[in-house]
Amino acid sequence: MNIVLLGAPGAGKGTQAAKLVEEYELPHISTGDMLRAAVKEGTPLGKKAKSFMDAGDLVPDDVIIGLVTERLQSKDTEKGFILDGFPRTSAQAVALDAELSKLERPLDAALLIDVDSEVIVGRLTSRRMCKDCGYIGTAADATCPKCGGEMYQRDDDNEATVRNRLDVYEKSTAPLIDYYRGCDLLVAIDGDRDPDVVYADVKKSLGL
Ligand SMILES: [Zn+2]
């Protein structure tokens, strides 16, 4: 099962990816993590990516696609993969499709964990973290339930920042969602439910 995972920040796609990874042993390929690792390890593609990052430029699509195709040579991707963080635009999706078809490993689904932006704003702005142990709770936790430490709100969880992040996400991914819908690959799941209920729906919709 070859999957592209889509969803706004705070929609819970990380939770769903973790469940799929655990049950089906599909590798979770996060392009952000891969990029950081390649740069750290100094691979040829990592060096190329670093030159753009050092100049303050976005890493070009072909470099990221190179990383992804390189990653897909690993044996652990034989049963499939979950691609997270890429593509972000429809142009990137077209380029990715071309590469995957060369590898004869086309996508089976673009899985969208769909949550209304007002619900996400509510989720993220009520998030609080423990200063001492990093526990993630909500505004309802006066002190950390794990260690009794002081709870605080991260700067990027304030409402204006959250709304800005969601705007950026929606502008860039709306055409991407249309693209996958047009290819008949889009599987949209209502993510505003208990994570286990969402997961049951994910499995059913993917035919797993
Ligand atoms: Zn704590």
Side-chain angles (χ1 to χ4, degrees), residues 6-7 13 31-32 84-93 169 171-176:
L6 305 170
K13 76 189 159 100
T31 49
D84 189 359
F86 189 86
R88 286 193 194 273
T89 65
S90 44
Q92 291 177 346
Y169 166 80
K171 281 199 188 97
S172 62
T173 47
L176 182 59

Side-chain angles (χ1 to χ4, degrees), residues 130-135 144-151:
C130 172
K131 270 187 176 153
D132 296 329
C133 75
Y135 170 84
C144 174
K146 277 180 91 181
C147 76
E150 191 185 333
M151 301 293 282

Side-chain angles (χ1 to χ4, degrees), residues 138-190:
T138 71
D141 301 311
T143 55
C144 174
K146 277 180 91 181
C147 76
E150 191 185 333
M151 301 293 282
Y152 75 104
Q153 184 178 36
R154 284 184 358 182
D155 287 342
D156 54 353
D157 283 343
N158 77 62
E159 187 170 339
T161 309
V162 166
R163 285 195 188 278
N164 185 46
R165 249 153 70 202
L166 289 175
D167 277 353
V168 170
Y169 166 80
E170 268 164 29
K171 281 199 188 97
S172 62
T173 47
L176 182 59
I177 289 167
D178 287 343
Y179 171 79
Y180 283 126
R181 190 179 283 119
C183 301
D184 212 16
L185 287 174
L186 187 73
V187 175
I189 303 291
D190 173 8

